Amino acid sequence: NYNVLISQVCTNFTNVIEIVWKTKETWTAFDAFDNLVASGLTPTIITYSSMINACVRCSEMEKAKSFHDKLI
């Protein structure tokens, strides 16, 4: 099913974001997020949460707030 495939692709992007920020490759998380959006996929709440964590880890509080605002 197409929707299941799209969901799995989004989950894979989110997993990459989660892994890279935990390994201190925070800028790679931003690249992965940009690629997810450029692919036409909609980030999930978990994706946004992972991006907020990446922002906090690299002291990008304004970016963290921006991602947070998109959740509200």
Side-chain angles (χ1 to χ4, degrees):
N1 184 329
Y2 179 75
N3 290 334
V4 172
L5 178 61
I6 294 300
S7 176
Q8 289 173 340
V9 170
C10 190
T11 298
N12 289 340
F13 271 105
T14 301
N15 289 340
V16 168
I17 291 167
E18 187 82 13
I19 290 166
V20 296
W21 79 256
K22 285 182 177 179
T23 60
K24 300 183 182 178
E25 297 290 332
T26 53
W27 296 110
T28 305
F30 293 111
D31 290 340
F33 183 85
D34 290 343
N35 287 330
L36 178 134
V37 174
S39 297
L41 299 171
T42 303
T44 65
I45 292 172
I46 296 168
T47 308
Y48 281 114
S49 177
S50 295
M51 288 308 302
I52 292 167
N53 287 330
C55 292
V56 170
R57 185 168 190 103
C58 65
S59 300
E60 292 285 346
M61 298 315 220
E62 285 300 314
K63 286 184 181 180
K65 184 179 180 329
S66 173
F67 283 113
H68 179 264
D69 291 346
K70 292 176 184 179
L71 287 173
I72 301 174

